Amino acid sequence: MSNIALRKRRGHGGQQSEYTLYLAIAYPMLLLAACALRLAPGSPKYHGVRYRRPSVFREAWEMGQSALPWVFAGR
């Protein structure tokens, strides 16, 4: 591999660790938000539907996975 290709590959590693850091910081807040959404009146209850809702922890993780790319959109 050329030096340019290696530098580009290494550059993405720093961005990945930064993404992980932001997710680790945001996860507790997103977990609280997922819990609040579960407890809020008027939230979907899935009565009569054969669908198993993901855990609160999984919902918070999915919130982070969908929201954090916006942090890196301006780069």
Side-chain angles (χ1 to χ4, degrees):
M1 285 186 136
S2 68
N3 277 342
I4 295 171
L6 283 175
R7 271 189 262 137
K8 284 186 177 182
R9 291 182 89 193
R10 288 183 187 137
H12 291 294
Q15 192 173 16
Q16 179 65 30
S17 64
E18 191 176 349
Y19 183 88
T20 305
L21 177 67
Y22 284 137
L23 185 60
I25 291 169
Y27 186 76
M29 293 177 279
L30 293 170
L31 185 59
L32 289 174
C35 290
L37 286 174
R38 287 270 175 114
L39 297 173
S43 64
K45 303 293 184 205
Y46 297 97
H47 289 297
V49 178
R50 291 185 177 218
Y51 171 76
R52 184 170 176 189
R53 203 170 172 179
S55 71
V56 177
F57 301 105
R58 182 68 182 173
E59 281 187 20
W61 179 260
E62 290 172 357
M63 286 177 174
Q65 294 296 319
S66 64
L68 281 181
W70 291 98
V71 173
F72 293 93
R75 292 184 177 203

